[in-house]
Amino acid sequence: MPLAQFPAYRQYEQMRRSVNDSVMGLFAGAGLASLLLHPMVNAAVPLSLIYPNVEEISRFDLSIEKARAILDDAGPHIANMALPYLMSLHEDYMGSCLTLLAKDQLISDRAASRPVVSKMHEDFEGAIGSPLPSDSLQQFHVLREMRNCLIHRSGVIDDRLVAAASTCSKGALAGWRNVAKNSPQALKTGGSLKVGTGELVLGFAVSKLLARAVNELLVRELTRDTWIDIILEDMHEFGPGIPANAHERTRKITGYARHNYLAVHATPEELQEGLARMVY
């Protein structure tokens, strides 16, 4: 099913792909570097003498053995840094979607501008009148609580994380085990949280799925007038602008809507009516 490429979704997808590519590059780079260093582990010289032109290496007086040990253990550290970033990107996207609901008067402007972050998805479901994929949403909340433990509790597992894991359905747990190769229900309050590649890959998959589901519901439930206004405002603010020439204006607006908003199926007549409402 085609999606509506409105500005917040385009930005979210661009940033999500960028983070995904960067993180996977770091994982691959750490693995390759460790492999390359393996034959030199017993060399009695610091790494900076072998690679003097790499500034990041010259800052630290590391032995080859120590450097390889750090690279071998890089996965959890990369995941600990990337998971909060990924969760924040998704929450920012959800905030933008709540703003679209307010534009359609499905929620108040106040509710859209001051959302409770932990209830963004549920507030969206209530306003739009349709559910999001429940298993994915449960997994997202566990990952969000993991993020909170990493940031606010130095990686110590708290009751909120354990509670989120305990409410997961069989489907959510099966999906978690399939990707992360563990179960969040094994987490115990006060224990040390271990986040690895599996949790991060799951986070990318879950956030992408939820973002697409939100997009599809917006396409289905927002009024036609609201979508036409979104298309025209997008073209004016982020696209090529609204042409002054009437003939060129009709052609380019229709083309822009078809390219970025195929899912909306905006008609030329609707776009012309939207122009009459628009002040630009």
Side-chain angles (χ1 to χ4, degrees):
M1 177 179 176
L3 301 174
Q5 301 293 326
F6 56 93
Y9 185 75
R10 294 200 303 266
Q11 182 180 32
Y12 169 74
E13 273 294 287
Q14 180 183 4
M15 292 298 296
R16 186 189 60 79
R17 291 195 199 99
S18 177
V19 174
N20 180 79
D21 291 345
S22 297
V23 167
M24 295 309 151
L26 288 171
F27 279 130
L32 286 170
S34 175
L35 188 65
L36 290 171
L37 289 178
H38 181 66
M40 299 184 287
V41 165
N42 295 323
V45 294
L47 196 59
S48 58
L49 289 182
I50 301 176
Y51 299 106
N53 295 324
V54 181
E55 183 178 355
E56 287 73 16
I57 291 176
S58 64
R59 292 177 185 274
F60 304 99
D61 187 23
L62 291 175
S63 67
I64 295 173
E65 183 178 8
K66 178 64 174 178
R68 187 165 187 264
I70 292 172
L71 289 167
D72 286 343
D73 194 38
H77 296 292
I78 295 172
N80 285 350
M81 291 183 287
L83 183 62
Y85 190 12
L86 178 62
M87 294 292 102
S88 296
L89 282 177
H90 186 83
E91 288 167 353
D92 184 63
Y93 165 72
M94 285 303 302
S96 297
C97 293
L98 292 177
T99 299
L100 294 184
L101 297 187
K103 186 180 182 69
D104 215 26
Q105 299 183 347
L106 294 173
I107 60 173
S108 68
D109 290 336
R110 180 182 176 84
S113 63
R114 300 181 182 179
V116 178
V117 175
S118 62
K119 297 180 179 179
M120 280 178 146
H121 295 88
E122 287 75 12
D123 289 345
F124 179 89
E125 289 176 317
I128 209 82
S130 296
L132 294 167
S134 59
D135 288 349
S136 296
L137 189 53
Q138 291 167 14
Q139 292 165 345
F140 181 87
H141 282 313
V142 174
L143 291 165
R144 181 178 56 78
E145 293 297 348
M146 285 183 166
R147 182 273 309 274
N148 292 343
C149 287
L150 289 172
I151 292 178
H152 302 299
R153 294 182 56 82
S154 302
V156 176
I157 298 168
D158 63 10
D159 291 337
R160 291 173 64 93
L161 173 52
V162 172
S166 69
T167 60
C168 283
S169 66
K170 290 182 179 180
L173 292 174
W176 189 290
R177 285 192 294 267
N178 184 52
V179 177
K181 310 304 180 186
N182 58 45
S183 173
Q185 293 191 332
L187 300 172
K188 304 297 181 184
T189 301
S192 180
L193 178 60
K194 306 296 183 185
V195 175
T197 311
E199 286 81 6
L200 190 56
V201 170
L202 181 65
F204 279 113
V206 166
S207 59
K208 177 181 179 180
L209 189 150
L210 287 173
R212 290 178 65 90
V214 166
N215 189 304
E216 290 171 358
L217 288 175
L218 287 172
V219 169
R220 195 173 76 196
E221 302 296 341
L222 291 184
T223 63
R224 301 296 299 170
D225 282 355
T226 293
W227 271 120
I228 298 304
D229 291 346
I230 290 170
I231 293 170
L232 295 173
E233 289 168 8
D234 178 11
M235 184 172 179
H236 177 60
E237 295 180 22
F238 302 103
I242 306 294
N245 179 273
H247 177 70
E248 183 184 16
R249 184 167 60 234
T250 300
R251 178 176 58 83
K252 288 197 172 182
I253 288 174
T254 303
Y256 193 83
R258 185 183 301 114
H259 179 73
N260 288 304
Y261 296 88
L262 181 60
V264 177
H265 301 294
T267 67
E269 292 76 19
E270 288 176 316
L271 293 167
Q272 288 298 325
E273 291 171 3
L275 279 172
R277 295 192 302 270
M278 188 177 181
V279 178
Y280 60 93

Coordinates of all heavy atoms in Angstrom, one line a residue, residues 190-257:
G190 N 16.5 -4.4 39.4 CA 17.8 -4.3 40.1 C 19.0 -4.9 39.3 O 20.1 -4.6 39.6
G191 N 18.7 -5.7 38.3 CA 19.7 -6.3 37.5 C 20.3 -5.3 36.5 O 19.9 -4.2 36.4
S192 N 21.4 -5.7 35.9 CA 22.1 -4.9 34.9 C 21.5 -5.2 33.5 O 21.4 -6.3 33.1 CB 23.6 -5.2 34.9 OG 24.2 -4.4 34.0
L193 N 21.1 -4.1 32.8 CA 20.4 -4.3 31.5 C 21.5 -4.5 30.5 O 22.5 -3.7 30.3 CB 19.6 -3.0 31.2 CG 18.9 -3.0 29.8 CD1 18.0 -4.1 29.7 CD2 18.2 -1.6 29.6
K194 N 21.3 -5.5 29.7 CA 22.3 -5.8 28.6 C 21.5 -5.6 27.3 O 20.6 -6.4 27.0 CB 22.8 -7.3 28.6 CG 23.4 -7.6 30.0 CD 24.7 -6.8 30.2 CE 25.3 -7.3 31.5 NZ 26.5 -6.5 31.9
V195 N 21.9 -4.6 26.5 CA 21.3 -4.3 25.2 C 22.3 -4.6 24.2 O 23.4 -4.2 24.2 CB 20.8 -2.9 25.1 CG1 20.3 -2.5 23.7 CG2 19.7 -2.6 26.2
G196 N 21.9 -5.5 23.2 CA 22.8 -5.9 22.1 C 22.3 -5.6 20.8 O 21.3 -4.9 20.6
T197 N 22.9 -6.2 19.8 CA 22.5 -6.1 18.4 C 21.1 -6.5 18.2 O 20.3 -5.9 17.4 CB 23.4 -6.9 17.5 OG1 24.8 -6.6 17.8 CG2 23.2 -6.5 16.0
G198 N 20.7 -7.6 18.8 CA 19.3 -8.1 18.6 C 18.2 -7.1 19.0 O 17.3 -6.9 18.2
E199 N 18.4 -6.5 20.2 CA 17.4 -5.5 20.6 C 17.4 -4.3 19.6 O 16.3 -3.7 19.3 CB 17.7 -5.0 22.0 CG 17.4 -6.0 23.1 CD 18.4 -7.1 23.3 OE1 19.5 -7.0 22.6 OE2 18.2 -8.0 24.1
L200 N 18.6 -3.9 19.1 CA 18.6 -2.7 18.3 C 18.0 -3.0 16.9 O 17.2 -2.2 16.4 CB 20.1 -2.3 18.0 CG 20.3 -1.0 17.3 CD1 19.6 0.1 18.1 CD2 21.8 -0.7 17.2
V201 N 18.3 -4.2 16.4 CA 17.6 -4.6 15.1 C 16.1 -4.7 15.3 O 15.3 -4.2 14.4 CB 18.2 -6.0 14.6 CG1 17.4 -6.5 13.4 CG2 19.6 -5.9 14.2
L202 N 15.7 -5.2 16.4 CA 14.2 -5.2 16.7 C 13.7 -3.8 16.8 O 12.6 -3.5 16.3 CB 14.0 -6.0 18.0 CG 12.5 -6.1 18.4 CD1 11.8 -7.0 17.4 CD2 12.4 -6.7 19.8
G203 N 14.4 -2.9 17.4 CA 14.0 -1.5 17.5 C 13.8 -0.9 16.1 O 12.8 -0.2 15.9
F204 N 14.7 -1.1 15.2 CA 14.6 -0.6 13.8 C 13.3 -1.2 13.2 O 12.6 -0.4 12.5 CB 15.8 -0.9 13.0 CG 17.0 0.0 13.2 CD1 18.1 -0.4 13.8 CD2 16.9 1.3 12.8 CE1 19.2 0.4 14.0 CE2 18.0 2.2 13.1 CZ 19.1 1.7 13.6
A205 N 13.1 -2.5 13.3 CA 12.0 -3.1 12.7 C 10.6 -2.6 13.2 O 9.7 -2.3 12.5 CB 12.1 -4.6 12.8
V206 N 10.6 -2.6 14.6 CA 9.3 -2.2 15.2 C 8.9 -0.8 14.9 O 7.8 -0.4 14.6 CB 9.4 -2.5 16.7 CG1 8.3 -1.8 17.5 CG2 9.4 -4.0 17.0
S207 N 9.9 0.1 15.1 CA 9.6 1.6 14.8 C 9.2 1.8 13.4 O 8.3 2.6 13.1 CB 10.9 2.4 15.2 OG 12.0 2.1 14.5
K208 N 9.8 1.1 12.4 CA 9.5 1.3 11.0 C 8.0 0.8 10.8 O 7.2 1.5 10.1 CB 10.4 0.5 10.1 CG 10.1 0.5 8.7 CD 11.0 -0.3 7.8 CE 10.7 -0.3 6.4 NZ 11.6 -1.1 5.5
L209 N 7.7 -0.4 11.4 CA 6.4 -0.9 11.2 C 5.3 0.0 11.8 O 4.3 0.3 11.2 CB 6.3 -2.3 11.8 CG 5.0 -3.1 11.5 CD1 5.4 -4.6 11.6 CD2 3.9 -2.9 12.6
L210 N 5.5 0.5 13.0 CA 4.6 1.4 13.6 C 4.4 2.7 12.9 O 3.3 3.2 12.7 CB 5.0 1.7 15.1 CG 4.8 0.5 16.1 CD1 5.4 0.9 17.4 CD2 3.3 0.1 16.2
A211 N 5.6 3.2 12.4 CA 5.5 4.5 11.6 C 4.7 4.3 10.4 O 3.9 5.2 10.0 CB 6.9 4.9 11.3
R212 N 4.8 3.2 9.7 CA 4.0 2.9 8.5 C 2.5 2.7 8.8 O 1.7 3.2 8.1 CB 4.5 1.7 7.8 CG 5.9 1.8 7.1 CD 6.4 0.5 6.5 NE 5.5 0.2 5.4 CZ 5.7 0.5 4.1 NH1 6.7 1.3 3.8 NH2 4.8 0.1 3.2
A213 N 2.3 2.0 10.0 CA 0.9 1.8 10.4 C 0.2 3.2 10.7 O -1.0 3.4 10.4 CB 0.8 0.9 11.6
V214 N 0.9 4.0 11.4 CA 0.4 5.4 11.7 C 0.1 6.1 10.4 O -0.9 6.8 10.3 CB 1.4 6.1 12.6 CG1 1.0 7.6 12.6 CG2 1.4 5.5 14.0
N215 N 1.0 6.1 9.5 CA 0.8 6.7 8.2 C -0.4 6.2 7.5 O -1.2 7.0 7.0 CB 2.1 6.5 7.3 CG 2.1 7.3 6.0 OD1 1.2 7.3 5.2 ND2 3.2 8.0 5.8
E216 N -0.6 4.9 7.4 CA -1.8 4.4 6.8 C -3.1 4.8 7.4 O -4.1 5.1 6.7 CB -1.7 2.8 6.7 CG -0.5 2.3 5.8 CD -0.3 0.8 6.0 OE1 -1.0 0.2 6.9 OE2 0.6 0.3 5.3
L217 N -3.1 4.9 8.7 CA -4.3 5.3 9.4 C -4.6 6.8 9.2 O -5.8 7.2 9.1 CB -4.2 5.0 10.9 CG -4.2 3.6 11.4 CD1 -4.0 3.4 12.9 CD2 -5.6 3.0 11.0
L218 N -3.5 7.6 9.1 CA -3.8 9.0 8.8 C -4.4 9.2 7.4 O -5.3 10.0 7.2 CB -2.4 9.7 8.9 CG -1.8 10.0 10.3 CD1 -0.4 10.6 10.2 CD2 -2.7 10.9 11.1
V219 N -3.9 8.4 6.4 CA -4.4 8.4 5.1 C -5.9 8.1 5.1 O -6.7 8.7 4.4 CB -3.6 7.5 4.2 CG1 -4.3 7.3 2.8 CG2 -2.2 8.0 3.9
R220 N -6.2 7.1 5.9 CA -7.6 6.6 5.9 C -8.6 7.5 6.7 O -9.7 7.6 6.3 CB -7.6 5.2 6.5 CG -8.9 4.4 6.2 CD -8.7 3.0 6.7 NE -8.8 2.9 8.1 CZ -8.4 1.8 8.8 NH1 -7.9 0.8 8.2 NH2 -8.5 1.8 10.2
E221 N -8.1 8.1 7.7 CA -9.0 8.7 8.7 C -9.0 10.3 8.6 O -10.1 10.8 9.0 CB -8.7 8.3 10.1 CG -8.8 6.8 10.3 CD -10.2 6.2 10.1 OE1 -11.1 7.0 10.2 OE2 -10.3 5.0 9.9
L222 N -8.0 10.9 8.2 CA -8.0 12.4 8.1 C -9.0 12.8 7.0 O -9.1 12.1 6.0 CB -6.7 13.0 7.8 CG -5.6 12.9 9.0 CD1 -4.3 13.6 8.5 CD2 -6.1 13.4 10.3
T223 N -9.6 13.9 7.2 CA -10.6 14.4 6.2 C -9.9 14.8 4.9 O -8.7 15.1 4.8 CB -11.4 15.6 6.7 OG1 -10.4 16.7 6.9 CG2 -12.1 15.3 7.9
R224 N -10.6 14.8 3.8 CA -10.1 15.1 2.5 C -9.5 16.6 2.5 O -8.4 16.8 2.0 CB -11.1 15.0 1.4 CG -11.8 13.7 1.2 CD -10.8 12.7 0.8 NE -10.2 13.0 -0.5 CZ -9.2 12.3 -1.1 NH1 -8.6 11.4 -0.4 NH2 -8.7 12.7 -2.3
D225 N -10.3 17.5 3.1 CA -9.8 18.9 3.1 C -8.5 19.0 3.9 O -7.6 19.8 3.4 CB -10.8 19.8 3.8 CG -12.0 20.1 2.9 OD1 -12.0 19.7 1.7 OD2 -13.0 20.8 3.4
T226 N -8.3 18.3 4.9 CA -7.1 18.3 5.7 C -5.9 17.8 4.8 O -4.8 18.4 4.8 CB -7.2 17.5 7.0 OG1 -8.1 18.1 7.9 CG2 -5.8 17.4 7.7
W227 N -6.1 16.7 4.1 CA -5.0 16.2 3.3 C -4.7 17.1 2.2 O -3.5 17.3 1.8 CB -5.4 14.8 2.7 CG -5.0 13.7 3.6 CD1 -5.8 12.8 4.2 CD2 -3.6 13.4 4.1 NE1 -5.0 11.9 5.0 CE2 -3.7 12.3 4.9 CE3 -2.4 14.0 3.8 CZ2 -2.6 11.7 5.5 CZ3 -1.3 13.4 4.4 CH2 -1.3 12.3 5.2
I228 N -5.7 17.7 1.6 CA -5.4 18.7 0.5 C -4.6 19.9 1.0 O -3.6 20.3 0.4 CB -6.7 19.2 -0.2 CG1 -7.5 18.0 -0.8 CG2 -6.4 20.3 -1.2 CD1 -6.7 17.2 -1.8
D229 N -5.0 20.4 2.2 CA -4.2 21.5 2.8 C -2.8 21.0 3.1 O -1.8 21.8 2.9 CB -4.9 21.9 4.1 CG -6.2 22.6 3.9 OD1 -6.5 23.0 2.7 OD2 -7.0 22.7 4.8
I230 N -2.6 19.8 3.6 CA -1.2 19.3 3.9 C -0.4 19.3 2.6 O 0.8 19.7 2.6 CB -1.3 17.9 4.5 CG1 -1.9 18.0 5.9 CG2 0.1 17.2 4.5 CD1 -2.2 16.6 6.5
I231 N -1.0 18.8 1.5 CA -0.3 18.7 0.2 C 0.2 20.1 -0.2 O 1.3 20.3 -0.6 CB -1.1 18.0 -0.8 CG1 -1.4 16.6 -0.5 CG2 -0.5 18.1 -2.2 CD1 -2.5 15.9 -1.3
L232 N -0.7 21.0 -0.2 CA -0.4 22.4 -0.7 C 0.6 23.1 0.2 O 1.5 23.8 -0.3 CB -1.7 23.2 -0.8 CG -2.7 22.6 -1.9 CD1 -4.0 23.4 -1.8 CD2 -2.1 22.7 -3.3
E233 N 0.4 23.0 1.5 CA 1.4 23.6 2.4 C 2.8 23.0 2.3 O 3.8 23.7 2.4 CB 0.9 23.4 3.9 CG -0.4 24.3 4.2 CD -1.0 23.9 5.5 OE1 -0.4 23.0 6.2 OE2 -2.1 24.4 5.8
D234 N 2.8 21.7 2.1 CA 4.1 21.0 1.8 C 4.7 21.5 0.6 O 5.9 21.8 0.6 CB 3.8 19.5 1.7 CG 5.1 18.6 1.4 OD1 6.2 19.2 1.5 OD2 4.9 17.4 1.1
M235 N 4.0 21.6 -0.5 CA 4.6 22.1 -1.7 C 5.1 23.5 -1.6 O 6.1 23.9 -2.1 CB 3.5 22.0 -2.9 CG 4.1 22.4 -4.2 SD 2.9 22.0 -5.5 CE 3.8 22.6 -7.0
H236 N 4.3 24.3 -0.9 CA 4.7 25.7 -0.7 C 5.9 25.9 0.2 O 6.8 26.7 -0.1 CB 3.5 26.5 -0.1 CG 3.8 27.9 0.2 ND1 4.2 28.8 -0.8 CD2 3.8 28.6 1.4 CE1 4.4 30.0 -0.2 NE2 4.1 29.9 1.1
E237 N 6.0 25.1 1.3 CA 7.1 25.3 2.3 C 8.3 24.5 2.0 O 9.4 24.9 2.2 CB 6.5 25.0 3.7 CG 5.4 25.9 4.2 CD 5.0 25.6 5.5 OE1 5.7 24.9 6.3 OE2 3.8 25.9 5.9
F238 N 8.1 23.2 1.5 CA 9.2 22.3 1.3 C 9.5 21.9 -0.1 O 10.5 21.3 -0.4 CB 9.0 21.1 2.2 CG 8.8 21.4 3.7 CD1 7.5 21.3 4.2 CD2 9.9 21.7 4.5 CE1 7.3 21.6 5.6 CE2 9.7 22.0 5.8 CZ 8.4 21.9 6.4
G239 N 8.5 22.1 -1.0 CA 8.7 21.8 -2.4 C 9.1 22.9 -3.2 O 9.7 23.9 -2.8
P240 N 8.7 22.9 -4.5 CA 9.1 23.9 -5.4 C 8.3 25.2 -5.3 O 8.7 26.2 -6.0 CB 8.9 23.3 -6.8 CG 7.8 22.3 -6.6 CD 8.0 21.8 -5.2
G241 N 7.3 25.3 -4.5 CA 6.5 26.5 -4.3 C 5.3 26.4 -5.2 O 5.2 25.5 -6.1
I242 N 4.3 27.3 -5.0 CA 3.1 27.3 -5.8 C 3.3 28.3 -7.0 O 3.6 29.5 -6.8 CB 1.9 27.8 -5.0 CG1 1.8 27.0 -3.7 CG2 0.7 27.8 -5.8 CD1 1.4 25.5 -3.9
P243 N 3.3 27.8 -8.2 CA 3.6 28.7 -9.4 C 2.5 29.8 -9.5 O 1.4 29.6 -9.2 CB 3.5 27.7 -10.6 CG 3.8 26.4 -10.0 CD 3.2 26.4 -8.6
A244 N 3.0 30.9 -10.0 CA 2.0 32.0 -10.2 C 1.1 31.8 -11.4 O 0.0 32.2 -11.4 CB 2.8 33.3 -10.3
N245 N 1.7 31.2 -12.4 CA 1.0 31.0 -13.7 C -0.1 29.9 -13.5 O 0.2 28.8 -13.0 CB 1.9 30.6 -14.8 CG 1.2 30.3 -16.1 OD1 0.8 29.2 -16.3 ND2 1.2 31.3 -17.0
A246 N -1.3 30.2 -13.8 CA -2.5 29.3 -13.5 C -2.3 28.0 -14.2 O -2.5 26.9 -13.5 CB -3.8 30.0 -14.0
H247 N -1.9 27.9 -15.5 CA -1.8 26.6 -16.2 C -0.7 25.8 -15.5 O -0.8 24.6 -15.3 CB -1.5 26.9 -17.6 CG -1.3 25.6 -18.4 ND1 -2.3 24.7 -18.7 CD2 -0.1 25.1 -18.9 CE1 -1.8 23.7 -19.3 NE2 -0.5 23.9 -19.5
E248 N 0.5 26.4 -15.3 CA 1.6 25.8 -14.7 C 1.3 25.3 -13.3 O 1.7 24.2 -12.9 CB 2.8 26.7 -14.7 CG 4.1 26.0 -14.2 CD 5.3 27.0 -14.1 OE1 5.0 28.2 -14.2 OE2 6.4 26.5 -14.0
R249 N 0.6 26.1 -12.6 CA 0.2 25.8 -11.2 C -0.6 24.5 -11.1 O -0.3 23.7 -10.3 CB -0.6 27.0 -10.6 CG -0.9 26.8 -9.1 CD -1.4 28.1 -8.5 NE -2.6 28.6 -9.2 CZ -2.8 29.8 -9.7 NH1 -1.8 30.7 -9.7 NH2 -3.9 30.2 -10.3
T250 N -1.6 24.4 -12.0 CA -2.5 23.2 -12.0 C -1.6 22.0 -12.3 O -1.8 20.9 -11.6 CB -3.6 23.3 -13.0 OG1 -4.4 24.5 -12.6 CG2 -4.5 22.1 -13.0
R251 N -0.8 22.1 -13.3 CA 0.0 20.9 -13.7 C 1.0 20.5 -12.6 O 1.1 19.3 -12.3 CB 0.8 21.2 -15.0 CG 1.7 20.1 -15.5 CD 2.3 20.5 -16.9 NE 3.0 21.7 -16.8 CZ 4.3 21.8 -16.3 NH1 4.9 20.7 -15.9 NH2 5.0 23.0 -16.3
K252 N 1.7 21.5 -12.0 CA 2.7 21.1 -11.0 C 2.2 20.7 -9.7 O 2.7 19.8 -9.1 CB 3.7 22.3 -10.8 CG 4.6 22.6 -12.0 CD 5.7 23.5 -11.7 CE 6.7 23.5 -12.9 NZ 7.9 24.4 -12.6
I253 N 1.0 21.2 -9.3 CA 0.4 20.8 -8.1 C -0.1 19.4 -8.2 O 0.1 18.5 -7.3 CB -0.7 21.8 -7.7 CG1 -0.2 23.1 -7.2 CG2 -1.6 21.2 -6.6 CD1 -1.2 24.2 -7.0
T254 N -0.7 19.1 -9.3 CA -1.2 17.7 -9.6 C 0.0 16.7 -9.6 O -0.1 15.6 -9.0 CB -2.0 17.7 -10.9 OG1 -3.1 18.6 -10.9 CG2 -2.5 16.3 -11.1
G255 N 1.1 17.1 -10.2 CA 2.2 16.2 -10.3 C 2.8 16.0 -8.9 O 3.3 14.9 -8.6
Y256 N 2.9 17.1 -8.1 CA 3.5 17.0 -6.8 C 2.6 16.1 -5.9 O 3.2 15.2 -5.2 CB 3.6 18.4 -6.1 CG 4.4 18.4 -4.9 CD1 5.8 18.5 -5.0 CD2 3.9 18.3 -3.6 CE1 6.6 18.6 -3.8 CE2 4.6 18.4 -2.5 CZ 6.0 18.5 -2.6 OH 6.8 18.6 -1.5
A257 N 1.3 16.2 -6.0 CA 0.4 15.4 -5.2 C 0.5 13.9 -5.6 O 0.5 13.0 -4.8 CB -1.0 15.9 -5.4

